[in-house]
Amino acid sequence: MILRLTRRYRFAAAHRLHAAAFSQEANQQLYGKCNNPHGHGHDYVLEVSVAGPLDEATGRVANPAVLDRLVAQEVLACLDHRNLNAEVAEFSDAPPTTENLLRLIRQRLLARWPETLARTRLAGIRLYETRRNIFELAERS
Amino acid sequence: MILRLTRRYRFAAAHRLHAAAFSQEANQQLYGKCNNPHGHGHDYVLEVSVAGPLDEATGRVANPAVLDRLVAQEVLACLDHRNLNAEVAEFSDAPPTTENLLRLIRQRLLARWPETLARTRLAGIRLYETRRNIFELAERS
Amino acid sequence: MILRLTRRYRFAAAHRLHAAAFSQEANQQLYGKCNNPHGHGHDYVLEVSVAGPLDEATGRVANPAVLDRLVAQEVLACLDHRNLNAEVAEFSDAPPTTENLLRLIRQRLLARWPETLARTRLAGIRLYETRRNIFELAERS
Amino acid sequence: MILRLTRRYRFAAAHRLHAAAFSQEANQQLYGKCNNPHGHGHDYVLEVSVAGPLDEATGRVANPAVLDRLVAQEVLACLDHRNLNAEVAEFSDAPPTTENLLRLIRQRLLARWPETLARTRLAGIRLYETRRNIFELAERS
Amino acid sequence: MILRLTRRYRFAAAHRLHAAAFSQEANQQLYGKCNNPHGHGHDYVLEVSVAGPLDEATGRVANPAVLDRLVAQEVLACLDHRNLNAEVAEFSDAPPTTENLLRLIRQRLLARWPETLARTRLAGIRLYETRRNIFELAERS
Amino acid sequence: MILRLTRRYRFAAAHRLHAAAFSQEANQQLYGKCNNPHGHGHDYVLEVSVAGPLDEATGRVANPAVLDRLVAQEVLACLDHRNLNAEVAEFSDAPPTTENLLRLIRQRLLARWPETLARTRLAGIRLYETRRNIFELAERS
């Protein structure tokens, strides 16, 4: 019996969508008002899911405090109350779309996956840019 | 890496649940107060999900404006602020249950799936009749 | 010290906005798609507030079960899963706007205000037609 | 075409997390403030999903009233407004974590799965301990 | 121009409603399942509002960090993850209803209202026992 | 009988809190991470309330389409998907706190209050910077 635990986090950030590969006109058409050169911002909601077997002794699939610390250190510290274009190195040459944010978050979590979460695996990440614009990355099980 | 984008929409509609195959008594037992001959209504919440690879140039899995236009033209235009029994041809001989609505929405989206969404596929549809009555259709991946 | 208790209820109903005093063209302009002759529907959220002093013996301002019964009998029984135009007498010659619904709910509650709620007064009614269309009636204190 | 229906329920309960296998110090470290000997409580949100083919005659995948009755009798009756440690036999020797609650709910639903739901199978259970602490059990399809 | 700032907090607690002034039968009738001797629990949502003039230099009505600290020290520290009957002195002889909780919270906030909030006054407290059971205390302006 | 209509809107914006009157250290202490020189962002939720008598002919207190147009033109056009510090003149010498945003929104609405809303008055404005940081301005009645 594999159980899945999902924890929900929030961060606020500013960004501007602009792709270096395209002309100013193409960027404007592609991203609309999100291409505004002065930027705008969002309150992102992040859900991180881990999956694994039940530990009979503790009655838990994972220690949520460990997952919270991982997300705080590897993700929130570099994204919360930040300007994604100006302050996150990965976005110096890639547009800070929510899709690229998802990929970045996945890389950072996997790179530092702690021993204390070894019985579980990263099962999925969901990122709400707004309530009606939702992005997901499901890991293969 | 396959990403999934979900967009959320709303529509308000009236309906009455009644199946031609059954007697009036059976309909009353089957659908309860939803069988009221004068009808009643709901604010439906619709989530449409598409899945596909990341486009490195744009940093996106799909252009949300294209999906919004498809849903507006093929789904919302015929369902929002409508009486489903009286105004939607598919429900002239099938009860306008949320399950049948899901099937109708899927058919309409696939029938006009645009070239500009060709890199993605319809991955799933979720329809909230109310906050506690939720229906889903998952496409095979 | 006056305390205020608010209880939240839901009902689903169909309606059509149409005012007898105006031409068809004026109705269309006034109510837009809500004037669709076949009707549409909503899931209304109703909040009823009562105010009064604390009863030291029970630690309560009112018995919520009594308020729930009043609202169920006087309001939900005649509005839930109904067609407001066809089934509610007050709307035979007045458009079933949310404002008129509010007035109707207030009249019905006050007409049967029970002895067991005598220590409290009706303090306000709030009606959400949708999440972004909210109507309130505040009683004078 | 397999459809999935999800119904949402709520229950309020008190619990204390404590595992007999560990020392008091280890319990305190493991569960933090949830180990408070006097207990605390939550408003749990439970989502039960069933999956099956569409019944063309009724336009439904399952009769929601049957599922509601099953959940009320087998789950809510023994959990709602209860102290999980003191009143639920399964937790006399296992900590009442949300993971163990999930397993208990699954066992109780499957043990009494009614003939009238025979065309569908239990597809998943999701339990929100709080809005940001979510547990899921997905059945193999 | 008087502005109002509201901050939202959460706490989880167990309680049992029982009034010493009444017989066991009367308690059962008065509080229903909330009278269960083993207790049950809730996730309370607390909103604290302060009102005052705009400080032109800071562009603020109050420093939210100061209010957060006051609420954390005077309210959350004694209520979060607690059993209200067993661990809060005020409820040794008064039932821990949400009304009595509101009064307790008001007393504790006013008793330690800090100099750094002197330009504002406590304007109101709202406490959600559940999403549909809401209690408010408005201060006279 | 005075009724109150509230409409809800959303806008996304970037901002940085910094007050010219204070040193860099004082700004850092005053606004914390909101003082980050690169800025960050939010999805604001705006509620605008109008109050007035019921118009018996239309069954309405106000035409919501007129209010929506006013808010779109006077508020959303200059705030949505903007950098408040760089693009809104009022914030060239005042920090773009939510309190100052409230005042700005009130001024802009009152300056262009249309004849078609003459039977109602602006009754209040509420602005959610986040779900737990809420600001209100109540007009005198």
Side-chain angles (χ1 to χ4, degrees):
Chain A
M1 194 174 68
I2 296 300
L3 289 163
R4 187 182 169 108
L5 161 66
T6 299
R7 301 280 291 175
R8 178 179 277 219
Y9 310 92
R10 291 174 181 274
F11 61 91
H15 75 160
R16 181 216 181 180
L17 297 188
H18 188 87
F22 302 111
S23 70
Q24 177 52 41
E25 289 72 25
N27 268 286
Q28 175 59 35
Q29 186 165 18
L30 194 58
Y31 299 119
K33 58 187 177 181
C34 299
N35 183 239
N36 172 8
H38 300 284
H40 61 285
H42 294 294
D43 292 296
Y44 294 87
V45 174
L46 169 66
E47 292 181 355
V48 177
S49 300
V50 301
L54 186 64
D55 176 334
E56 293 289 343
T58 64
R60 277 180 167 168
V61 62
N63 186 334
V66 173
L67 183 58
D68 288 0
R69 204 156 43 228
L70 175 70
V71 173
Q73 288 173 357
E74 299 305 314
V75 178
L76 304 182
C78 78
L79 299 181
D80 188 32
H81 280 72
R82 299 290 182 184
N83 182 309
L84 302 180
N85 303 65
E87 297 181 88
V88 180
E90 284 86 345
F91 298 130
S92 60
D93 62 354
T97 58
T98 313
E99 288 92 331
N100 277 335
L101 264 176
L102 258 188
R103 186 163 58 170
L104 169 65
I105 291 169
R106 177 178 181 272
Q107 287 166 349
R108 285 175 175 262
L109 292 177
L110 290 179
R112 300 282 180 114
W113 201 253
E115 266 303 298
T116 39
L117 289 178
R119 294 177 68 257
T120 61
R121 59 178 188 81
L122 179 64
I125 306 175
R126 187 183 289 171
L127 195 49
Y128 297 74
E129 183 178 312
T130 66
R131 281 176 60 89
R132 54 182 303 267
N133 207 22
I134 310 164
F135 299 80
E136 284 167 277
L137 195 52
E139 301 292 321
R140 282 207 181 70
S141 58
Chain B
M1 196 175 68
I2 295 299
L3 288 163
R4 187 182 170 108
L5 161 66
T6 298
R7 301 281 289 176
R8 179 178 275 219
Y9 310 92
R10 292 175 178 274
F11 62 90
H15 76 160
R16 180 214 182 181
L17 297 189
H18 188 86
F22 301 112
S23 70
Q24 177 52 41
E25 288 72 23
N27 268 287
Q28 175 59 36
Q29 187 166 17
L30 194 57
Y31 299 120
K33 58 188 177 180
C34 298
N35 183 240
N36 171 9
H38 299 285
H40 61 285
H42 293 295
D43 293 295
Y44 294 88
V45 174
L46 169 67
E47 291 181 355
V48 177
S49 300
V50 301
L54 186 64
D55 176 333
E56 293 288 344
T58 64
R60 277 180 168 167
V61 62
N63 186 334
V66 172
L67 182 58
D68 288 0
R69 204 158 42 228
L70 176 70
V71 173
Q73 288 173 357
E74 300 304 314
V75 178
L76 303 182
C78 78
L79 298 181
D80 187 32
H81 279 73
R82 298 288 182 183
N83 182 310
L84 302 181
N85 302 66
E87 298 182 88
V88 180
E90 283 86 345
F91 297 130
S92 59
D93 61 356
T97 58
T98 313
E99 289 93 330
N100 277 335
L101 264 177
L102 256 190
R103 185 164 58 171
L104 169 65
I105 292 169
R106 178 178 180 270
Q107 287 167 349
R108 284 177 176 262
L109 291 177
L110 290 179
R112 301 284 180 112
W113 201 253
E115 267 302 298
T116 39
L117 289 177
R119 294 177 67 257
T120 61
R121 60 178 187 81
L122 180 64
I125 307 175
R126 187 184 289 170
L127 194 50
Y128 297 74
E129 184 177 311
T130 65
R131 281 176 61 88
R132 55 182 303 267
N133 207 22
I134 310 165
F135 299 81
E136 284 167 277
L137 195 53
E139 302 292 321
R140 283 205 180 70
S141 57
Chain C
M1 196 175 67
I2 295 299
L3 288 164
R4 187 183 171 108
L5 161 66
T6 299
R7 302 280 290 176
R8 178 179 277 218
Y9 310 93
R10 292 176 180 273
F11 60 91
H15 76 161
R16 180 214 181 181
L17 296 188
H18 188 87
F22 301 112
S23 70
Q24 177 51 42
E25 289 72 24
N27 268 286
Q28 176 59 36
Q29 188 166 17
L30 194 57
Y31 299 119
K33 58 187 177 182
C34 298
N35 183 240
N36 172 9
H38 300 284
H40 61 285
H42 293 295
D43 292 296
Y44 294 87
V45 174
L46 169 66
E47 292 181 355
V48 177
S49 300
V50 302
L54 186 64
D55 177 334
E56 292 289 344
T58 65
R60 277 181 167 167
V61 62
N63 186 334
V66 172
L67 182 58
D68 289 358
R69 203 156 44 227
L70 175 70
V71 173
Q73 288 173 357
E74 299 305 314
V75 178
L76 303 183
C78 78
L79 298 181
D80 187 32
H81 280 74
R82 299 290 182 182
N83 182 310
L84 302 180
N85 303 65
E87 297 181 90
V88 180
E90 283 87 344
F91 298 130
S92 60
D93 61 355
T97 57
T98 313
E99 288 93 332
N100 277 336
L101 264 177
L102 256 190
R103 185 164 59 170
L104 169 64
I105 291 169
R106 178 177 180 271
Q107 287 167 349
R108 285 176 175 262
L109 291 177
L110 290 179
R112 301 283 180 114
W113 201 254
E115 267 303 297
T116 39
L117 288 178
R119 294 176 68 258
T120 61
R121 60 179 187 79
L122 179 65
I125 306 175
R126 188 184 288 172
L127 195 48
Y128 296 75
E129 184 178 310
T130 66
R131 281 176 61 88
R132 54 181 304 265
N133 206 23
I134 310 164
F135 299 81
E136 284 167 277
L137 194 53
E139 302 291 320
R140 281 204 184 71
S141 59
Chain D
M1 194 175 67
I2 296 299
L3 288 163
R4 187 182 170 108
L5 161 67
T6 299
R7 302 280 289 176
R8 178 179 277 219
Y9 310 92
R10 290 173 181 274
F11 62 91
H15 76 160
R16 180 213 181 182
L17 297 188
H18 188 86
F22 302 112
S23 70
Q24 177 52 40
E25 290 71 26
N27 268 288
Q28 176 60 35
Q29 188 166 17
L30 195 57
Y31 300 119
K33 57 188 177 180
C34 298
N35 183 238
N36 172 8
H38 299 284
H40 61 284
H42 293 295
D43 293 296
Y44 294 88
V45 174
L46 169 66
E47 291 182 355
V48 177
S49 299
V50 301
L54 186 65
D55 175 334
E56 292 289 343
T58 64
R60 277 180 167 167
V61 63
N63 186 335
V66 172
L67 183 58
D68 289 359
R69 204 156 42 228
L70 175 69
V71 173
Q73 288 172 356
E74 300 304 314
V75 178
L76 304 182
C78 77
L79 299 180
D80 187 31
H81 280 73
R82 299 287 181 184
N83 182 310
L84 302 181
N85 302 65
E87 298 182 89
V88 180
E90 283 86 346
F91 297 130
S92 60
D93 62 355
T97 58
T98 313
E99 288 92 332
N100 277 336
L101 264 177
L102 257 189
R103 186 165 57 171
L104 170 65
I105 292 169
R106 178 178 180 270
Q107 286 167 349
R108 285 176 174 261
L109 292 177
L110 290 179
R112 302 283 180 114
W113 202 254
E115 267 302 298
T116 39
L117 288 178
R119 294 177 67 257
T120 61
R121 58 179 187 82
L122 180 64
I125 307 176
R126 188 183 289 171
L127 193 51
Y128 296 73
E129 183 177 312
T130 65
R131 282 175 60 89
R132 55 182 302 267
N133 207 22
I134 310 164
F135 300 80
E136 284 167 277
L137 195 51
E139 302 292 321
R140 286 209 178 67
S141 59
Chain E
M1 194 175 68
I2 296 299
L3 287 164
R4 186 181 170 110
L5 161 66
T6 299
R7 300 281 290 176
R8 177 179 278 219
Y9 311 92
R10 292 174 180 275
F11 60 91
H15 75 160
R16 180 214 181 181
L17 296 188
H18 188 86
F22 302 112
S23 70
Q24 177 51 41
E25 289 72 25
N27 268 287
Q28 176 59 35
Q29 187 164 18
L30 194 58
Y31 299 120
K33 58 187 176 181
C34 298
N35 183 239
N36 172 7
H38 300 284
H40 61 284
H42 293 296
D43 293 296
Y44 294 87
V45 174
L46 169 66
E47 292 181 355
V48 177
S49 299
V50 301
L54 186 65
D55 175 334
E56 293 289 343
T58 64
R60 277 181 167 168
V61 63
N63 186 334
V66 173
L67 182 57
D68 289 359
R69 203 156 43 226
L70 175 69
V71 173
Q73 288 173 356
E74 299 304 315
V75 178
L76 303 183
C78 77
L79 299 180
D80 188 31
H81 280 73
R82 297 288 182 184
N83 181 310
L84 302 180
N85 303 65
E87 298 182 89
V88 180
E90 284 86 345
F91 298 130
S92 60
D93 62 355
T97 57
T98 313
E99 288 92 332
N100 277 336
L101 264 176
L102 256 189
R103 186 164 57 171
L104 169 65
I105 292 169
R106 177 177 181 270
Q107 287 167 349
R108 285 177 174 261
L109 292 177
L110 291 179
R112 301 282 180 114
W113 201 254
E115 267 302 298
T116 39
L117 288 177
R119 295 176 67 257
T120 61
R121 59 179 187 81
L122 180 64
I125 307 176
R126 187 184 290 172
L127 194 50
Y128 297 75
E129 184 178 310
T130 65
R131 282 176 61 89
R132 55 181 304 266
N133 206 23
I134 310 163
F135 299 81
E136 284 167 278
L137 195 52
E139 301 293 320
R140 284 206 181 70
S141 58
Chain F
M1 196 175 67
I2 296 299
L3 288 163
R4 187 181 170 110
L5 161 67
T6 298
R7 301 280 290 176
R8 179 178 275 219
Y9 310 92
R10 291 174 181 274
F11 62 91
H15 76 160
R16 180 215 181 181
L17 296 189
H18 188 87
F22 301 112
S23 71
Q24 178 51 42
E25 289 72 25
N27 268 287
Q28 176 59 36
Q29 187 166 17
L30 194 58
Y31 300 120
K33 58 187 177 180
C34 298
N35 184 240
N36 172 7
H38 300 284
H40 62 284
H42 294 294
D43 293 296
Y44 294 88
V45 174
L46 168 66
E47 292 181 355
V48 177
S49 300
V50 301
L54 186 64
D55 177 332
E56 293 289 344
T58 64
R60 278 180 168 169
V61 62
N63 186 334
V66 172
L67 182 58
D68 289 359
R69 203 155 44 227
L70 175 70
V71 173
Q73 288 173 357
E74 299 304 315
V75 178
L76 304 182
C78 78
L79 299 180
D80 188 31
H81 280 73
R82 298 290 182 183
N83 182 310
L84 302 181
N85 303 65
E87 299 181 89
V88 180
E90 283 86 345
F91 298 129
S92 60
D93 61 356
T97 57
T98 313
E99 289 93 330
N100 277 336
L101 263 177
L102 257 190
R103 185 164 58 171
L104 170 64
I105 292 169
R106 177 177 181 270
Q107 287 167 348
R108 285 177 176 259
L109 291 177
L110 290 179
R112 300 283 180 114
W113 201 254
E115 267 302 299
T116 39
L117 289 177
R119 294 177 67 255
T120 61
R121 60 179 187 81
L122 180 63
I125 306 175
R126 187 183 290 172
L127 194 50
Y128 297 74
E129 185 178 309
T130 66
R131 281 175 61 89
R132 54 182 304 267
N133 208 22
I134 311 164
F135 300 80
E136 285 167 276
L137 195 52
E139 301 292 321
R140 284 207 180 69
S141 59

